[in-house]
Amino acid sequence: MKKEERLKALEQKLKESPQPLSGDKLAKSLHVSRQVIVQDIALLRALNMPIISTNRGYILPNQEYSMVVKVNHSMDQMQQELETIVDCGATVHDVFVEHATYGKLEAKLSLSSRRDVKEFLNQIQQGKSQPLNNLTQGIHYHTITARSQDILDEVKKSLDKMGILC
């Protein structure tokens, strides 16, 4: 494995791990010595990656990536849209529309699992409220967050594949 590939793999392992990874574990998984890992960590830090050394290993502080997507779909596609996002490992923080008279109208959602989506849709189906996208012929926006840019890219690709991304 070339150095660039190893650095990318090391970065990915740190981003994906919720707990510290020991130098020995990283060295074994990347088939290098622990000293090479120490050098690679120093290189990544020099590239402004905020790696923290703990007594249990290396870890990245919780990083959150976000994006806003503009989508347009019918009520029938709402469940598929939201489940697609959470199934990728992202969180739907809100929904908002740009209303011609009132400007930006926003509602917090905080949906990060199928269970959250189901509860939200149950409230909609019980008639407690109407989705904001009813005000704008289906066009609306979501702020989506995830632990990595790759997850956000996957969300965007999946929504585009569904044909609802604007």
Side-chain angles (χ1 to χ4, degrees), residues 11 71 110 140 152:
E11 178 181 351
V71 290
S110 297
H140 59 288
L152 293 180

Side-chain angles (χ1 to χ4, degrees), residues 17-18 39 74 80 93 95 102 127:
S17 179
Q39 292 169 354
S74 67
Q80 183 183 5
H93 277 278
V95 58
Y102 300 117

Side-chain angles (χ1 to χ4, degrees), residues 76-140:
D76 296 338
Q77 294 173 295
M78 186 182 296
Q79 180 174 355
Q80 183 183 5
E81 171 208 28
L82 297 173
E83 286 179 350
T84 296
I85 295 168
V86 300
D87 286 351
C88 289
T91 298
V92 184
H93 277 278
D94 63 15
V95 58
F96 62 94
V97 297
E98 290 295 336
H99 191 273
T101 304
Y102 300 117
K104 182 178 179 181
L105 300 174
E106 179 180 7
K108 300 292 182 199
L109 297 179
S110 297
L111 307 175
S112 57
S113 68
R114 280 186 174 242
R115 182 180 193 179
D116 294 343
V117 171
K118 184 179 178 182
E119 289 173 9
F120 170 72
L121 293 174
N122 281 341
Q123 290 179 351
I124 296 292
Q125 290 166 353
Q126 291 173 5
K128 291 183 179 179
S129 62
Q130 292 293 311
L132 287 178
N133 66 345
N134 283 352
L135 299 171
T136 55
Q137 292 74 47
I139 298 172
H140 59 288

